[in-house]
Amino acid sequence: IKAQLEVSRLEERSDDLTAERAALVAAVNLLLDEPGTTPLGRVAVLPPGDVPVQPWEDAVLASSVEVAARQCAAMAAERRLELLRLDLRPDFTTAAAVGLRGGFDPVVTLRFGVELPFWRKNKQQPMIRAAEHELEMARAELGQAEATARSEAARLRAEWDRAERQIVRYRQAIIPQSNAAVDAARSSYLAGRGDFSTVVEDFRMWLEARSELARREADRFINFDVTADMLRA
């Protein structure tokens, strides 16, 4: 009865995983513009990947689209403020002309003018104050975007390091230990010194350990894919 119950549970889990995989394959086919039922080959081993060793924070800041957009917005606000301030300065004009008078000597006229912004100041000062506030806001948004990017870099690094440590732990400790536990329980049962429930329990632990290792390898690969794109940008 215990064996039959364990088989039923494994079949239940297998059906759930099959349905979950079908949904993921349909999502991949949507991105590839393929029919939803297009099969996807079995992925037995994930490709290895080594993230470049460098300051992750600098790389994420350099590749962040949000930071780049805020930098451009801050630069544009600075330029607008500079142009408005230039309008408060005097405008200088120059001109030259040559007049011909028949048989007489030509006449050369030179002109120089200065336009003083006596009344312009009343109009420009409110616009300058508004531009200063816009620049201050743009710089604050840039600082917030940079802080968010640094936080994301720290999160990615922490997740990568955790995945590396856990995968090593599963490969070097948990998986070998669960194998030994299953073998010991099976040997004891066959020798008449143990019961079958121990074999079933240890086998379930062995299966969960292998499943957890696969999940952590998948999480590391996803993290690697995101991080590598940022560091290569």
Side-chain angles (χ1 to χ4, degrees):
I1 293 176
K2 286 183 179 293
Q4 293 174 355
L5 177 61
E6 193 65 23
V7 169
S8 299
R9 287 176 174 174
L10 291 177
E11 290 176 347
E12 175 193 16
R13 186 173 183 181
S14 178
D15 288 342
D16 289 340
L17 292 175
T18 300
E20 183 179 349
R21 188 181 194 279
L24 293 175
V25 170
V28 172
N29 289 331
L30 175 62
L31 297 176
L32 298 176
D33 195 20
E34 297 286 347
T37 56
T38 301
L40 181 67
R42 180 172 177 266
V43 182
V45 179
L46 293 174
D50 295 326
V51 176
V53 179
Q54 59 174 306
W56 287 32
E57 183 176 306
D58 296 341
V60 173
L61 282 174
S63 62
S64 173
V65 177
E66 183 69 18
V67 171
R70 297 303 179 185
Q71 287 175 342
C72 293
M75 292 175 59
E78 290 177 357
R79 297 292 176 82
R80 286 193 296 269
L81 180 59
E82 291 177 359
L83 291 175
L84 289 173
R85 286 173 175 172
L86 286 176
D87 286 342
L88 294 178
R89 298 180 180 180
D91 291 334
F92 299 93
T93 58
T94 58
V98 178
L100 301 178
R101 301 186 302 168
F104 298 97
D105 293 334
V107 176
V108 178
T109 304
L110 300 176
R111 295 180 180 178
F112 176 78
V114 179
E115 182 181 353
L116 299 177
F118 290 115
W119 305 104
R120 191 184 307 172
K121 189 173 183 180
N122 295 331
K123 176 183 177 182
Q124 292 300 111
Q125 285 294 354
M127 297 177 63
I128 289 176
R129 286 194 296 270
E132 289 174 346
H133 289 301
E134 291 179 359
L135 176 57
E136 183 178 355
M137 181 179 65
R139 287 174 175 172
E141 291 176 347
L142 174 59
Q144 181 179 2
E146 290 176 345
T148 302
R150 287 192 294 267
S151 175
E152 180 67 10
R155 183 189 67 81
L156 290 174
R157 184 75 208 196
E159 290 185 358
W160 175 266
D161 292 340
R162 180 188 64 178
E164 284 289 309
R165 292 192 302 270
Q166 297 289 34
I167 288 174
V168 171
R169 180 176 291 110
Y170 268 87
R171 288 177 178 174
Q172 296 182 359
I174 297 178
I175 295 295
Q177 290 167 0
S178 62
N179 290 338
V182 171
D183 292 339
R186 183 174 179 273
S187 298
S188 297
Y189 173 73
L190 294 177
R193 296 190 303 270
D195 54 24
F196 187 73
S197 60
T198 303
V199 178
V200 172
E201 185 64 27
D202 290 344
F203 175 76
R204 186 185 298 118
M205 292 176 58
W206 173 83
L207 184 61
E208 290 177 353
R210 293 179 63 86
S211 300
E212 184 65 18
L213 174 60
R215 186 187 69 81
R216 291 187 179 276
E217 288 177 341
D219 291 342
R220 183 186 63 172
F221 181 77
I222 294 173
N223 189 295
F224 162 76
D225 195 39
V226 174
T227 305
D229 287 343
M230 288 185 175
L231 298 182
R232 286 195 299 262

